[in-house]
Every structure is written in structure tokens, then in C-alpha cells.
Amino acid sequence: MAESHKKRIAIFGSTGSIGTQALKVIEAYPDLFEVEILTAQTNDKLLIEQALKFSPNAVVIGDEKKYEGVKSALLSKDIKVFTGNTALEEVADFDTYDMMIAAIVGFAGLKPTLKAVEKGKAIALANKETLVVAGDIVMQLAVENRVPIIPVDSEHSAIFQCLVGETRNKIEKIILTASGGPFLGKKPNFLVNVKRHHALQHPNWNMGAKITVDSATLMNKGLEMIEAKWLFNLTPDQIEVVIHPQSIVHSMVQFEDGSIKAQMGLPDMKLPIQYALTFPHRIKNDSPRAEFRKIPNLTFEQPDIKTFRNLSLAMQALEKGGNLPCILNAANEIAVWAFLNNRIGFLDITAVVEKAMQTITYIEKPNLADYFESDGEARNFAASLVKM
Ligand code: NAD
Ligand code: MG
């Protein structure tokens, strides 16, 4: 701990939905936290604003064209500015922080997170793609370095919270809840015409564009099944998905005596972020409280995996393992990007992912280099399908 006994936080992806909400939590507890590192890919304006407000030791701007501008804006504050391919890993290698909030979106979050784990830093993990791609390697490295990986994803935070005090007890299964997204109940004849702006309207959560599309296709829940497998050391048959449109029950754990614990609350990502920052403690906040007298219906139903085929593809990847989740993830990142740029339709996302899973060579026991190679191959293949 620092001399001040404040927890020194490094936010990787500070300009995103999770990053900005993490800064709100940090701002509310100036005696507990200080900001050590902030990173952004393109949003130089917000990064500068955040840096001037929170005075970190260092920032990273991914887009090299914006480096000079950021550097000159932060000159008077003595804040180090980094850019370039290895910048994220370089700052993840610093000694001067206690916890990384991994809030970069996609595969890009893997390398800096691995570096932080190698350094023995605690991780508050929002970036689920890191575990989808290389969960075996990340979790093994975390065990070797005695690094806590505390989930920020609301479902996994819920499960993590349900497991407090249960270390001796076996999990029979977990029940991951899914809101169902904006197209719950819709069929392919509707989905075929869906456009970017429809998919970006999530009923309960306000999130970055990629995860919002993933929530609309149910790929997000598939990625979360794989994330849960690694976080909680589960087999595929222990992971169940149930649609719960109200997003009040954030997920559940069923134990061997049939008893089920659920973690509940209003949908607000600041709550799992705060819990990850303060674990094992809970600290008071003034966020709105769930009022059950005003929420008369909590409903649960089966996911429609025949319509939302991304979820069934992710289940296949979960079942088969190896580099298949990595291939699924890479193809999905490209396909979602293409959809957001109006190059392909909503249902084409599934077609791209499925073709990549059928085409890229399967590796049963990949090493880290294999994951990087499979990611690259799947990206190139998916890009050729969407004519990038
Ligand atoms: P976002 O798009 O709002 O923000 C992404 C952040 O990552 C930005 O700061 C951006 O600058 C940075 N970034 C993007 N591409 C990058 C690259 N190639 N290299 C380095 N940095 C890059 O995304 P988000 O919604 O905040 O999600 C972040 C992660 O958290 C995702 O993995 C998502 O699945 C997960 N998550 C988000 C939510 C949510 O409510 N937003 C909930 C659960 C999990
Ligand atoms: Mg989630």
C-alpha cells in the first residue's frame, strides 16, 4: 500500500462506459482511492479532462496522432504520456499501482491484463474477452502469482458475492441471468431488418457499443458462460442461462443441498465496480435502492437459442474448448464492427462467427502464441467475409 494507505488504481479503458463509471466511484471516496494510470484509445479530449481532474502518474493514448496534443495539454501537471504498440504493457508493468480495473473492450485487453497479473497486481475484471480468449492461461498465472481476479461484470460479481462464506461448499450449478436485450421475443423475420440504431437501444443498461450489440444478439451471455467457467472453475453443464427481463436478480448459485442464493439490486454498474474496489468490505453509498413493492413481477424464461444462434455457437465453443472460444471471439469482434458500420446485417453476425469456427484450425491445447495466432487468423478470415 502507498504511504497514504489509499488504494492506487490503474484504469485501462478509462474513457469507456465502465471506465467513466469507475471514476465516479473513485471520486466519491477520495480518502480510499487515488488514480495512478488512465488509458484511452482515441478519446483524447476526455482523457485530458480526466487526467487534469484526477492527476494520475501516467496516461496512455493509443492513437499516436493524438500523442503530441495530449502531451502538451498535460505538460504543466507533470503527467507522463505514453503511446505506441507496447505502451499499455509498459505502464501495466509499473510498480506504483495496487489494482488494475481492466475496462478495455475486446482482445486488446488481454496483453496488459496478463502483464498486471505477472506483476502480482489485483485485477477488477470488466474485460470478459480476456477470459474468453485465454481463460486457462490467465487463471493459471493468477494462481501462480496469488492475484485476486475480482469480477466487475454484473452477473459474475453476483456469483462472486453469493460465494462469499461458501469456500467449503460445492457449487451444483450457477444460473446466469440475461435481460434478453432489445429484441426479446423477436424472430428471424424481424431480426433480418434490424439496424445499428435499433440494436444500440438496450432496455436496462447503458453500455459501450460492442457489448450492447452482443447483448442484442445474446453473444454477450455466451461470452459470459465462458467467462464464468474460468472464474469459478465450472464444467459447461454447471452453467445455465435464464432470461430475466427486469435485470433485478443479477445471477444465482445453486448448492448441493438445492438451496439457491441470488444477488439482487437495481441495474447499475457502479455497484459491482464499487464492490470490486472495496472487496471484502461493503461501504455505504447513496445509489437508488430497489423497492420490491414497486417491482411486482420478476419473471424468468428459457432463452430462444434457435433464433439467437450466437448463444448456441458460444455454447459449442464452451463445450469444445481449446482455441474455439478465441476464434468465436475474434470473428465476433470483426462482425460486430462491420454491423456497427452498416456493412453487414444483424443475422450476418452469426453467419460470420459460424464460418470462422468451421474454417480456422482447431487446437485442443493452445499456448499463448497459439491464441494470438488463432485470433489473427479468425480476424483476417472474418474480415474477408465482410469485405473490409
Ligand atoms: P467502451 O467501448 O465504452 O469503452 C472501451 C474502452 O476501451 C475505452 O476507454 C477505449 O478507449 C478503450 N479501447 C477500445 N479499443 C481499444 C484498443 N484497441 N486498445 C486499447 N484500448 C481500447 O466499452 P465498455 O462498455 O466500457 O466495456 C468495457 C469492457 O467491460 C468490455 O469487455 C465489456 O464486455 C465489459 N463490460 C461492460 C459493461 C458495461 O456496462 N459497459 C458491463 C459488463 C462488462
Ligand atoms: Mg454482464
Side-chain angles (χ1 to χ4, degrees), residues 12-19 21 39-43 88 102-106 108 126-129 152-154 205-211 220 224 269:
F12 281 61
S14 66
T15 53
S17 162
I18 293 290
Q21 293 181 86
T39 88
Q41 183 62 12
T42 50
N43 193 343
L88 289 171
I104 288 175
V105 59
N127 176 238
K128 64 192 82 185
E129 295 90 347
V152 166
D153 210 350
S154 58
W205 300 96
N206 190 358
M207 310 175 288
K210 193 255 178 187
I211 183 177
N220 184 51
E224 289 183 354
M269 285 309 295

Side-chain angles (χ1 to χ4, degrees), residues 114 117-118 130-131 134-149 229-231 233 366 371:
L114 276 173
V117 175
E118 268 170 35
T130 283
L131 290 184
D136 52 346
I137 290 175
V138 175
M139 293 311 286
Q140 179 58 35
L141 202 61
V143 169
E144 284 165 15
N145 291 286
R146 295 167 178 266
V147 163
I149 299 205
K229 165 186 162 158
W230 295 118
L231 277 171
N233 195 19
Y371 283 131

Side-chain angles (χ1 to χ4, degrees), residues 41-75:
Q41 183 62 12
T42 50
N43 193 343
D44 52 343
K45 250 183 96 187
L46 183 55
L47 181 69
I48 290 167
E49 198 182 295
Q50 292 176 338
L52 291 174
K53 183 164 175 184
F54 291 94
S55 299
N57 177 14
V59 302
V60 175
I61 179 76
D63 183 347
E64 296 188 21
K65 294 191 293 295
K66 297 184 168 167
Y67 171 74
E68 286 302 335
V70 175
K71 200 171 150 75
S72 67
L74 301 181
L75 207 60

Side-chain angles (χ1 to χ4, degrees), residues 138-169:
V138 175
M139 293 311 286
Q140 179 58 35
L141 202 61
V143 169
E144 284 165 15
N145 291 286
R146 295 167 178 266
V147 163
I149 299 205
I150 306 171
V152 166
D153 210 350
S154 58
E155 297 77 2
H156 305 76
S157 174
I159 292 161
F160 187 86
Q161 293 181 54
C162 290
L163 291 174
V164 168
E166 302 283 0
T167 40
R168 290 160 194 235
N169 298 321

